[in-house]
Amino acid sequence: MRAKLEVFALVLGFIGLVGTIAVTALPTWKVTAFIGANLIVMEELWEGLWMTCYRQADIKMQCKVYDSLLILPPELQAARGLMCFSIVLVVISLFVTGCGTKKSECCGDNMKSKNITLALGGSLYLLSCLTTLIPVSWVGNTIIRNFYNPAVPDSRKHELGEALFIGWATSGILLITGIILLFRYSQRRSKEEEPYNEAYLMAQRDLKKQDSVYTWYVVHE
């Protein structure tokens, strides 16, 4: 059952990797808010980290890659870097966690090294959760603030895109994966210390026996 928990964490980590890549690639971070003039002309505009997609009425949607990083708003610039960093982190986490599982042959029979590796993998998953959650929440917060800001024209107001919801779900998956791995580390750590605790208790019993024998000898002398 405990080994299955580690395999389950690996599966969740792989799902988290797919989700992180999907969030980074999707152009639906910001989508057109159908209010005011946009409701009449039915223009649809998607904005992502790498491209924008535009469609009007029944015309086929056309996508264009950004000519420069500098034309992006600050939150999307930061999101691009953080999401790319998240992908790298999740990939490293998968490899590290794979080496830390009991059935892995990376560290041989050295359970202490495997435990440390597993804890490192869990910590990396928690870090990747943060680097995914921060850009998604930042962009989401900016969209909501601009939507309710009367000073922002209707043409520049957006709604939350699908990529943001996938990003929040992916952050939750990465968080759960990290917690599972750290929980397994604590279990394996306590099991690793059991022999030392038993040896300590046995040594204490031997000392008590020796003291009692010595006390009896002194009394009878």
Side-chain angles (χ1 to χ4, degrees), residues 29-175:
W29 281 65
K30 296 181 178 182
V31 298
T32 304
F34 289 105
I35 54 176
N38 292 339
L39 185 60
I40 299 173
V41 298
M42 293 298 291
E43 291 180 341
E44 190 173 1
L45 178 66
W46 296 350
E47 294 183 28
L49 302 181
W50 310 96
M51 66 183 74
T52 57
C53 296
Y54 175 80
R55 179 170 62 189
Q56 184 175 4
D58 296 330
I59 301 175
K60 185 179 179 181
M61 179 166 281
Q62 298 178 343
C63 296
K64 181 184 178 182
V65 178
Y66 295 119
D67 296 326
S68 172
L69 177 65
L70 299 178
I71 66 176
L72 289 171
E75 68 272 10
L76 288 183
Q77 291 183 24
R80 182 190 282 195
L82 285 171
M83 291 306 301
C84 291
F85 184 57
S86 293
I87 293 173
V88 174
L89 270 180
V90 177
V91 171
I92 295 174
S93 302
L94 273 173
F95 281 107
V96 171
T97 304
C99 291
T101 56
K102 275 191 171 183
K103 295 184 179 181
S104 171
E105 297 181 357
C106 292
C107 302
D109 295 329
N110 191 340
M111 288 304 300
K112 187 174 182 179
S113 298
K114 285 189 176 183
N115 289 345
I116 295 173
T117 305
L118 194 71
L120 178 60
S123 302
L124 289 174
Y125 272 117
L126 294 181
L127 182 59
S128 64
C129 168
L130 285 177
T131 55
T132 304
L133 182 63
I134 290 173
V136 171
S137 300
W138 185 1
V139 174
N141 180 60
T142 303
I143 292 173
I144 293 171
R145 280 193 296 106
N146 290 341
F147 188 87
Y148 290 106
N149 187 355
V152 178
D154 292 343
S155 59
R156 298 192 61 184
K157 291 184 178 181
H158 300 86
E159 291 182 353
L160 302 175
E162 295 177 358
L164 299 182
F165 295 102
I166 297 174
W168 283 316
T170 301
S171 300
I173 290 173
L174 294 173
L175 176 64

